[in-house]
Amino acid sequence: MTHSARRIGRTLALVLPVVLVLSGTLAVTSVPWAGQPSQSQMLTASSQNVSVPAKPRAPHDVLRDRLLTELQEKDPGTALTHLQREVEARPSLAKHCMSIARDLGRAAVERLGPTRAQSFSKPVCDTSFATGVAAQTQGS
């Protein structure tokens, strides 16, 4: 009888932790969420839901976003001055200067209206800011 008891004890010692872990795991995979007490959602791991690191953004896109924010917080003249300084400091941005200035012109019209936006025109990247103002004015 001692041998049988030992054998049962060993079996339980091996099986019981596995059963407890599995039952605990199953218990927490089905959780009713707030606001939906009658519906249970299953928590499952999926390779499709894994976060993918963002691709590094191009320097000209970062600059465009920063200058558009600056235009909203300050004024178009400040953003244009900073665009000119950035292009002078980093000549590789020159090929994007016209498109950034045009986007600033469009954003200036959205914020200030065409007449007031035009008053901020500067000869940065040729006349791209003024072109953006004009394009946005015609499209409105």
Side-chain angles (χ1 to χ4, degrees):
M1 181 136 165
T2 309
H3 183 60
S4 292
R6 246 187 236 160
R7 199 166 164 185
I8 292 171
R10 281 188 202 158
T11 304
L12 282 176
L14 292 173
V15 174
L16 192 58
V18 173
V19 170
L20 290 174
V21 168
L22 287 176
S23 65
T25 302
L26 293 174
V28 297
T29 59
S30 180
V31 179
W33 297 98
Q36 300 175 347
S38 63
Q39 294 180 339
S40 295
Q41 295 183 0
M42 297 297 288
L43 299 176
T44 58
S46 170
S47 63
Q48 294 174 349
N49 295 334
V50 175
S51 295
V52 177
K55 293 180 183 177
R57 297 182 62 216
H60 65 276
D61 289 333
V62 173
L63 176 62
R64 176 182 283 113
D65 290 349
R66 190 183 73 196
L67 293 174
L68 286 169
T69 300
E70 187 172 53
L71 183 143
Q72 297 300 324
E73 293 174 354
K74 296 179 182 175
D75 63 70
T78 303
L80 284 170
T81 299
H82 289 153
L83 173 59
Q84 186 171 4
R85 287 184 187 152
E86 287 291 329
V87 170
E88 289 168 359
R90 295 169 61 190
S92 63
L93 293 171
K95 63 184 172 188
H96 304 286
C97 186
M98 290 182 6
S99 69
I100 293 171
R102 205 169 20 254
D103 290 346
L104 291 173
R106 290 181 179 131
V109 170
E110 292 292 322
R111 181 172 176 235
L112 305 170
T115 305
R116 188 144 176 249
Q118 188 64 41
S119 70
F120 287 96
S121 286
K122 294 182 181 184
V124 176
C125 310
D126 297 327
T127 57
S128 298
F129 179 83
T131 302
V133 170
Q136 189 67 18
T137 301
Q138 291 173 356
S140 300

